[in-house]
Amino acid sequence: MNEFFESIKKRDPAAKSIISIVLTYPGVKAILLHKLSHKLWNAKIYLIARTISQFSRFLTGIEIHPAAIIGKNLFIDHGMGVVIGETSEIGNNVTLYHGVTLGGISPAEDSSKQVNQKRHPTINNDVIIGSGAQILGPIIVGKGARIGANAVVTKNVPENATMVGIPAQNINKDNIKDKKFRPYGVKTN
């Protein structure tokens, strides 16, 4: 657990101490409650799992479906309005900013055909997704990719790509690994 808190301190210059992270970061509360609801979901105690996830949503403004698979050290910065859908998979050391949606493409159309189908994105390790970005459908976001603020991504993203715009386009055509933390996906010089 200490690794989780230290990973947040490394990614957020406003993080002063572990106690402040625990008490004041809604993303931390949402992830901890998700761990509980996910265990209950896997134990097929669906109603209680969903109730806990809805309580978490009420408390934090972050909605994470109990079936979503989340790796270690997910950091949801600010968090309000984040939605992580049922079949989402998130790797290790991923950062999400407020307003991010990991959603399906057309949940209201032929919804009975979508039951038990992969409908949400898979986010690989070390990805940063800027505020307001929409990652939609059963796509794969490659390791180390950066998704700019308000981008709309509906196609697979290569490793180390930098995606911006609507629809999102890769502005890092060489897919060179960007070792510098860029919270909104693009260089500011």
Side-chain angles (χ1 to χ4, degrees):
M1 189 58 93
N2 199 39
E3 176 189 0
F4 172 59
F5 296 120
E6 290 301 321
S7 77
I8 292 171
K9 284 176 70 174
K10 286 180 185 174
R11 290 181 270 178
D12 186 2
K16 304 295 185 224
S17 67
I18 290 174
I19 192 70
S20 73
I21 293 169
V22 170
L23 294 176
T24 66
Y25 281 53
V28 169
K29 292 176 187 73
I31 291 165
L32 294 175
L33 286 166
H34 172 73
K35 287 178 186 275
L36 174 59
S37 70
H38 186 68
K39 284 181 183 181
L40 292 167
W41 186 268
N42 288 339
K44 299 185 184 334
I45 307 171
Y46 301 124
L47 181 59
I48 295 173
R50 286 301 302 260
T51 302
I52 291 170
S53 75
Q54 290 302 296
F55 172 73
S56 176
R57 178 181 178 218
F58 172 78
L59 184 68
T60 66
I62 299 167
E63 182 172 343
I64 306 174
H65 192 284
I69 298 170
I70 296 177
K72 67 179 185 173
N73 302 329
L74 171 63
F75 176 37
I76 303 173
D77 197 3
H78 300 290
M80 183 61 74
V82 167
V83 176
I84 300 173
E86 178 181 17
T87 62
S88 296
E89 298 175 56
I90 301 174
N92 300 327
N93 306 308
V94 170
T95 302
L96 305 178
Y97 285 87
H98 57 281
V100 167
T101 298
L102 304 181
I105 296 175
S106 55
E109 297 175 15
D110 295 323
S111 62
S112 62
K113 292 180 182 174
Q114 296 181 49
V115 174
N116 298 321
Q117 300 294 314
K118 175 77 168 148
R119 305 181 315 278
H120 301 94
T122 297
I123 311 298
N124 281 298
N125 297 343
D126 306 312
V127 170
I128 300 171
I129 302 177
S131 60
Q134 309 296 301
I135 318 302
L136 304 174
I139 64 172
I140 297 172
V141 176
K143 180 180 178 183
R146 305 299 188 244
I147 310 297
N150 295 312
V152 177
V153 181
T154 58
K155 295 181 179 162
N156 289 342
V157 175
E159 284 190 9
N160 302 314
T162 301
M163 306 296 290
V164 297
I166 303 171
Q169 302 291 316
N170 186 3
I171 61 169
N172 180 11
K173 296 296 184 189
D174 297 325
N175 295 332
I176 297 169
K177 186 174 184 176
D178 183 2
K179 292 184 179 184
K180 186 173 180 190
F181 179 75
R182 301 191 190 285
Y184 293 98
V186 294
K187 294 180 183 179
T188 57
N189 291 335

